[in-house]
Amino acid sequence: MSPPMAPAGWSRWLVPPAALSVHLSIGQAYAWSVFKPPLESALGLSGTQSALPFQLGIVMLGLSAAFGGTLVERKGPRWAMTVALVCFSSGFLLAALGAAVEQYWLIVFGYGFVGGIGLGIGYISPVSTLIKWFPDRPGMATGIAIMGFGGGALIASPWSAQMLESFGADSSGIALAFLVHGLTYAVFMLLGVLLVRVPRPAKAAGDGPAVLDGPQVSARSAVRTPQFWCLWIVLCMNVTAGIGILEKAAPMITDFFAGTSTPVSVSAAAGFVALLSAANMAGRIGWSSTSDLIGRKNIYRVYLGVGALMYALIALAGDSSKPLFILCALVILSFYGGGFATVPAYLKDLFGTYQVGAIHGRLLTAWSTAGVLGPLIVNWIADRQEEAGKDGSSLYTLSLFIMIGLLAVGFVANELVRPVHPRHHEPVARPQEKEASDVR
């Protein structure tokens, strides 16, 4: 399954479309909230229960990326994209069967466990390849691909809502929608499998011996450094804060304005999910490209600091103004997406390109943790508040203040990041006296 090596003169700009075909597909995960109300109605589930497939999918994303990262580095992006295709599509087919026979555990197993493996392997499949193709602009390169994951819901959300309207929101309609998703995404992801190429080594290309500039740290050594764990905390806190809103987006905006003169319809809530996906996608390319100019640490100061301010505005005044609520949510989701797209370049600055894909995979265990924490905090508190007789925005106020605290923890962790000590560098590296310019 080794991908063909690019011939001389082959354009590196053909690699991002290959990555996008995979990331736009697996990015459907961010449209899960569209399926929550129909599943709750058809199968009698609570909000916490209906979040379980999404939560397990994110857990498996992090675990499969962590355990499969080194294997992806060894076998290459074509192998990884093929595994992602098989697992992600099979997960939808199993979920379709589960919905058809009204066995919720099968939906959880299919979409969450099997599909989650596809999410993790597919997510990291192009990262190290893109960084090698674009060593001059790593933030932009990874942002282009990873924006596809953020933008997947921009397509999937209205598409899913339309299918549920056409097929019906009962168990058979949900099953048919899952089936169509699985088959369509299999075809689309196949394009990436066929298109992806790896760059020729510098020596093979006639450009002299390959040189790895800057620090080069193995994945095994990286996890023993404080820098890795500081970034783990940064990513976990940023993701927890964003994913809590994203997973609950459709019901949340409906609840916030249910008692006002301008309630939000089901179709408008699905449109809100699509808007969040657009912000998520735009943030991945926009903020990650900005990080190439101002440095990774500075951009994370923006994500975490300004993000906390946005949460405070929603908590204190979000139910008084629909435009304010939407604007703050869009900014938060742009930071959420930007954090994902910037972290591979941050890792490259700190640990080099030697095993950056494997290091990235290990770091995504932070996403697994956040995938449980974010939805659990928001859904559990909302369920408890509803049982206490509360409604509207009061269902979420406590959750929002918790998110502000988590972002503050992430901000402190980012401030503690320093260049990696030379004792962790691999012998192939050529340690430089000055600090990496992007770690500011």
Side-chain angles (χ1 to χ4, degrees):
M1 291 300 299
S2 297
M5 194 170 291
W10 196 79
S11 174
R12 63 180 181 171
W13 292 101
L14 294 175
V15 180
L20 278 171
S21 71
V22 174
H23 275 238
L24 280 170
S25 298
I26 62 177
Q28 182 281 333
Y30 283 142
W32 177 253
S33 64
V34 175
F35 286 103
K36 281 172 63 67
L39 283 170
E40 291 168 15
S41 176
L43 302 180
L45 306 173
S46 68
T48 302
Q49 290 173 322
S50 66
L52 188 56
F54 175 81
Q55 287 177 290
L56 181 58
I58 298 301
V59 169
M60 293 309 301
L61 185 158
L63 294 178
S64 61
F67 289 105
T70 303
L71 197 60
V72 170
E73 288 279 291
R74 186 183 310 129
K75 291 184 174 291
R78 173 167 288 181
W79 175 87
M81 289 179 179
T82 302
V83 171
L85 184 160
V86 172
C87 291
F88 188 65
S89 296
S90 297
F92 262 116
L93 300 183
L94 288 170
L97 177 61
V101 299
E102 298 187 0
Q103 294 294 316
Y104 187 59
W105 70 269
L106 191 53
I107 298 176
V108 175
F109 175 76
Y111 188 92
F113 185 82
V114 178
I117 295 173
L119 287 177
I121 300 300
Y123 189 86
I124 63 173
S125 61
V127 170
S128 63
T129 303
L130 282 164
I131 288 177
K132 290 168 185 173
W133 274 111
F134 294 87
D136 52 330
R137 286 178 283 180
M140 181 211 68
T142 54
I144 289 175
I146 293 177
M147 79 172 179
F149 192 88
L154 187 62
I155 299 170
S157 180
W159 183 36
S160 300
Q162 181 59 50
M163 278 195 285
L164 290 171
E165 184 177 335
S166 300
F167 301 152
D170 57 0
S171 58
S172 61
I174 296 170
L176 189 54
F178 282 157
L179 177 63
V180 173
H181 275 79
L183 296 177
T184 303
Y185 285 134
V187 174
F188 196 60
M189 293 171 76
L190 184 61
L191 298 176
V193 173
L194 298 175
L195 184 60
V196 70
R197 299 287 189 276
V198 296
R200 296 192 301 162
K203 189 173 182 179
D207 299 327
V211 176
L212 297 175
D213 294 324
Q216 302 298 327
V217 182
S218 69
R220 183 178 180 183
S221 296
V223 297
R224 299 175 181 175
T225 65
Q227 288 83 356
F228 177 88
W229 293 106
C230 282
L231 279 186
W232 193 97
I233 293 172
V234 167
L235 184 63
C236 185
M237 297 301 100
N238 194 53
V239 173
T240 300
I243 208 168
I245 281 187
L246 192 58
E247 186 274 337
K248 191 78 169 177
M252 181 180 286
I253 192 171
T254 301
D255 290 337
F256 252 77
F257 298 98
T260 69
S261 59
T262 56
V264 178
S265 66
V266 174
S267 59
F272 175 63
V273 175
L275 277 177
L276 292 182
S277 178
N280 189 353
M281 179 174 63
R284 290 173 187 242
I285 182 62
W287 294 122
S288 61
S289 296
T290 302
S291 78
D292 287 334
L293 302 175
I294 70 172
R296 320 305 170 195
K297 179 175 283 191
N298 284 335
I299 202 67
Y300 272 96
R301 286 169 174 152
V302 174
Y303 298 156
L304 300 161
V306 179
L309 176 61
M310 295 296 104
Y311 267 106
L313 288 173
I314 291 178
L316 298 174
D319 60 346
S320 64
S321 170
K322 193 179 295 183
L324 176 65
F325 178 92
I326 294 173
L327 178 62
C328 290
L330 291 177
V331 173
I332 289 170
L333 265 295
S334 77
F335 291 161
Y336 170 82
F340 276 121
T342 307
V343 83
Y346 210 160
L347 292 172
K348 180 259 182 187
D349 294 342
L350 291 168
F351 303 110
T353 59
Y354 176 54
Q355 288 190 336
V356 68
I359 298 171
H360 186 221
R362 286 160 171 76
L363 190 74
L364 290 182
T365 54
W367 195 355
S368 295
T369 304
V372 174
L373 284 179
L376 181 62
I377 291 170
V378 175
N379 284 287
W380 187 85
I381 291 177
D383 288 344
R384 299 292 80 76
Q385 298 288 61
E386 188 173 11
E387 290 173 2
K390 296 184 179 180
D391 57 15
S393 62
S394 60
L395 297 175
Y396 305 100
T397 303
L398 178 58
S399 300
L400 296 173
F401 281 113
I402 291 174
M403 298 305 177
I404 293 172
L406 294 178
L407 288 173
V409 172
F411 191 93
V412 172
N414 183 54
E415 293 303 306
L416 296 176
V417 174
R418 298 290 185 273
V420 177
H421 194 280
R423 70 173 178 272
H424 297 291
H425 295 181
E426 289 296 300
V428 295
R430 297 182 178 180
Q432 298 174 351
E433 292 293 327
K434 65 182 183 68
E435 297 179 357
S437 60
D438 282 317
V439 182
R440 299 169 181 168

